[in-house]
Amino acid sequence: MNTFDDLGMPFPLFLAPVAHAAVDDAGSCEMCGRPASVRFSGACYKCFRNGGVEHTVDTEFGMVRVEDAQKGLTHGIPLSDPSILSDYELIPHPVDPKFPEETWFHVRIETEFLLELVRTPTYLAWQGEHWQFCCRRPCVFLGRLPATAVSPAAESPSAHIAAWFRCPDWSSVAHHDYGSLTYYGFRCAECNAFRYHEDTD
Ligand SMILES: [Zn+2]
Ligand SMILES: [Zn+2]
């Protein structure tokens, strides 16, 4: 299966097959008007990579829009126990008097890393993307794996999933369907740790 590298359109944070990306069909770039074989939020590769295209990525630390990336903060997540993210700098949202119990926090991530993330395509997922972080930066997306492609009897599937992604063979999963439990694999660009999340249709 083709990757964006194969198409000459590299994305440092997206090494998965092109078929796993949420992209737009061929057409005219909404920024420069040139014909594009694949478009990202309406733009050609060049315009998308140059920035300035409105593009939002949902993450485990909340939504990231271009304006969030410029501030070096995610839009935020509700946390009842902020100490679970003690490795990160958290900036509390102002308390909404209507919901005083809800405590939301922005998560600080270097602007450079978040700007790279909003210049990266999102991936197809049943419940929407949920980009993972490690070492205070967005991970590299490796692809979506149907749960039926790894040992379904495994008590702790994470080791099997990580092993599968160490040498992915996408042709071997082509006949599996993504109709139920699906794993989304990531690798940390800093420490090489494997991360994943899962969802179902
Ligand atoms: Zn363009
Ligand atoms: Zn890491």
Side-chain angles (χ1 to χ4, degrees):
M1 285 176 110
N2 272 337
T3 63
F4 286 110
D5 281 353
D6 297 330
L7 302 185
M9 300 178 184
F11 290 100
L13 294 181
F14 198 112
L15 298 185
V18 174
H20 297 196
V23 293
D24 301 323
D25 291 340
S28 300
C29 170
E30 287 170 14
M31 305 289 285
C32 71
R34 291 202 191 90
S37 57
V38 51
R39 292 179 302 160
F40 309 90
S41 282
C44 70
Y45 176 77
K46 199 168 163 219
C47 291
F48 186 64
R49 290 299 289 166
N50 280 343
V53 176
E54 280 303 324
H55 182 63
T56 301
V57 180
D58 225 338
T59 79
E60 61 173 329
F61 297 154
M63 173 175 77
V64 179
R65 301 159 298 179
V66 174
E67 61 192 279
D68 301 309
Q70 285 163 345
K71 288 185 225 156
L73 297 172
T74 67
H75 185 66
I77 42 168
L79 284 176
S80 51
D81 177 11
S83 70
I84 61 164
L85 286 184
S86 57
D87 287 350
Y88 289 86
E89 184 189 346
L90 302 175
I91 317 283
H93 285 207
V95 173
D96 182 339
K98 277 183 280 180
F99 306 99
E101 318 280 273
E102 281 198 12
T103 46
W104 279 66
F105 295 87
H106 303 281
V107 180
R108 187 175 301 285
I109 304 287
E110 257 183 63
T111 295
E112 176 199 342
F113 294 145
L114 292 184
L115 283 175
E116 181 59 42
L117 183 62
V118 294
R119 291 170 198 187
T120 300
T122 57
Y123 53 91
L124 298 167
W126 292 113
Q127 312 295 337
E129 77 276 6
H130 198 62
W131 211 282
Q132 304 288 297
F133 288 81
C134 184
C135 297
R136 301 162 184 250
R137 58 192 284 177
C139 293
V140 177
F141 181 60
L142 302 174
R144 55 206 290 266
L145 181 66
T148 52
V150 287
S151 168
E155 250 176 50
S156 157
S158 56
H160 290 256
I161 301 166
W164 195 92
F165 274 104
R166 266 197 292 279
C167 18
D169 174 12
W170 293 112
S171 60
S172 74
V173 300
H175 61 281
H176 286 265
D177 76 52
Y178 285 85
S180 57
L181 185 58
T182 303
Y183 303 124
Y184 303 89
F186 292 82
R187 189 181 63 227
C188 176
E190 183 88 21
C191 76
N192 260 329
F194 178 76
R195 302 282 322 272
Y196 77 100
H197 73 94
E198 59 187 53
D199 71 6
T200 58
D201 62 358

